[in-house]
Amino acid sequence: MTMMCPVRFLRMDEQLRVQHLTTITVVNGPGLVWINPFKSYHITKAVTLGVLDYVRVRDTMDGSERAVRGPRLFFLGPYEKLEGAGQGVSLTSMQYVLIQDKQTGERKVQRGPLIWIPGPREEGKVMNGVRLNSTEYVSVEDSLTGARRVEKGPCIWFPGPYEEWEQGSGVWLSSTEFVTVQNTLSGDKRVDKGPCVWFPGPYDQWTKGASASLTCTQYITVVNKLTGASSMVKGPCIWFPGPYDSASAVKEAIVLQDDEYVKLKDISTGTRWVHRGKGLLFLEPTWRIENSMSSSGVQKSWGLRGREFFRLQVAPHLRVTKS
């Protein structure tokens, strides 16, 4: 019986594979096995996998696939075949791997530190996380959902599986600077003032500007582009615009002495009047200077002595005669 069914000792890394009529059986070492000489068999070596090693295996019976990682001594199942072998990737805490399933197209991200072993249908791309300091940010958009957001430093930032991103630097604003911001999603506008490091929101478009520094003799005319209303801002002050404000160039007030005056007209109402010194004259947005021979519009009054007088003729034309 022993001669008909010889005994074989299997080492630790050996496997006996026996072909029956319709099935295959395997016996893994170490140990003694009885071998039927009337059946086809062979002895194979196990696969030794190190810490970074892996193999891809396919079951020929049901078509399923799997990945086997080390460290270990690996024996194939009765219907399994090796499809490939490789080494995993060691990721540091600053790295991540973007993984895509070639069968389903699904993506996922795994961050380090770890040793990444790909699955049977996976491909991966190793990349570095984005290091952001306290004045940097990333503008992120999810290509799957369209959602946007902004991530600020300081940090190490890792993207999601479907995220696209662009790195930028915050805008330093001094105490006299500002940004006019419009939200492209809602259409709302706002003004953000310094001093600060300013970061945009995910839907913000912006322009940087400087405030107007006005002395006690200066002023500007401001028009609200939303309502059309006009107003005047006098110094001394540092003026910041509202989100819909448009300002004129800085203007100088008219300085009037005791014996000086200007003729004015309000073009919105048609009212005319004379403004006399002494003092500063700030022209409202609807005021205009009339009938002046000088570029500034300032005219001198006439001084009368004890026996002098003015003769005023109204018709047919206004005329003043000193006597």
Side-chain angles (χ1 to χ4, degrees):
M1 186 66 178
T2 302
M3 293 178 61
M4 292 180 64
C5 298
V7 176
R8 175 67 187 269
F9 178 77
L10 297 178
R11 295 185 177 90
M12 183 178 294
D13 61 345
E14 291 181 328
Q15 179 187 68
L16 173 66
R17 302 180 65 89
V18 181
Q19 177 68 56
H20 301 280
L21 186 61
T22 57
T23 59
I24 299 174
T25 59
V26 296
V27 179
N28 300 330
L32 290 174
V33 292
W34 297 92
I35 298 177
N36 189 337
F38 301 103
K39 292 185 179 181
S40 176
Y41 72 93
H42 63 278
I43 295 173
T44 61
K45 287 285 188 177
V47 180
T48 301
L49 300 176
V51 175
L52 295 177
D53 297 329
Y54 71 92
V55 290
R56 290 178 176 173
V57 180
R58 182 170 62 88
D59 192 306
T60 58
M61 182 69 73
D62 59 18
S64 62
E65 295 179 327
R66 65 187 177 113
V68 181
R69 62 179 298 172
R72 62 181 296 183
L73 197 62
F74 173 66
F75 294 96
L76 289 170
Y79 301 101
E80 288 182 335
K81 292 181 64 175
L82 285 176
E83 293 291 309
Q87 283 198 323
V89 181
S90 179
L91 303 179
T92 69
S93 59
M94 282 285 297
Q95 294 178 310
Y96 68 96
V97 57
L98 177 60
I99 306 164
Q100 183 166 14
D101 191 302
K102 295 183 291 183
Q103 184 174 5
T104 64
E106 184 180 355
R107 295 181 186 178
K108 62 182 178 180
V109 166
Q110 289 187 357
R111 303 179 187 177
L114 57 80
I115 295 174
W116 177 68
I117 302 294
R121 295 176 299 276
E122 289 181 346
E123 287 182 345
K125 184 178 181 181
V126 176
M127 290 180 280
N128 293 322
V130 182
R131 185 189 294 272
L132 300 175
N133 63 34
S134 59
T135 63
E136 293 178 320
Y137 69 94
V138 286
S139 181
V140 187
E141 181 174 3
D142 192 307
S143 59
L144 199 61
T145 65
R148 296 182 185 179
R149 72 179 193 279
V150 168
E151 298 284 350
K152 304 174 187 178
C155 67
I156 306 297
W157 179 79
F158 296 90
Y162 298 96
E163 289 180 344
E164 298 173 354
W165 55 276
E166 184 176 352
Q167 186 173 353
S169 296
V171 181
W172 167 249
L173 300 177
S174 70
S175 58
T176 61
E177 293 177 318
F178 65 92
V179 285
T180 302
V181 188
Q182 181 167 20
N183 186 300
T184 57
L185 190 64
S186 65
D188 294 337
K189 295 183 73 175
R190 70 181 191 276
V191 170
D192 293 338
K193 305 174 186 178
C196 66
V197 177
W198 180 81
F199 295 91
Y203 299 97
D204 285 348
Q205 289 182 345
W206 58 276
T207 54
K208 184 178 178 180
S211 61
S213 180
L214 304 176
T215 67
C216 60
T217 63
Q218 293 177 324
Y219 68 100
I220 55 175
T221 300
V222 180
V223 178
N224 187 302
K225 293 184 288 186
L226 189 64
T227 64
S230 297
S231 61
M232 182 175 61
V233 178
K234 302 178 184 179
C237 69
I238 295 177
W239 177 79
F240 289 90
Y244 300 98
D245 286 345
S246 175
S248 68
V250 176
K251 302 176 183 179
E252 291 289 338
I254 299 172
V255 181
L256 296 176
Q257 301 302 327
D258 289 333
D259 60 344
E260 293 176 331
Y261 68 94
V262 289
K263 294 180 179 179
L264 300 174
K265 179 181 179 180
D266 190 325
I267 61 174
S268 65
T269 63
T271 305
R272 289 181 170 87
W273 72 99
V274 173
H275 186 93
R276 300 177 177 87
K278 178 180 183 178
L280 294 174
L281 173 60
F282 297 89
L283 295 177
E284 294 287 348
T286 58
W287 292 3
R288 299 293 182 268
I289 297 175
E290 287 196 322
N291 302 326
S292 174
M293 299 299 293
S294 66
S295 59
S296 64
V298 177
Q299 300 183 63
K300 285 285 186 179
S301 60
W302 290 356
L304 296 177
R305 299 173 187 173
R307 294 184 179 184
E308 292 179 330
F309 64 91
F310 286 110
R311 180 178 287 112
L312 179 64
Q313 179 179 327
V314 177
H317 300 291
L318 177 64
R319 185 172 62 181
V320 180
T321 304
K322 183 178 180 182
S323 300

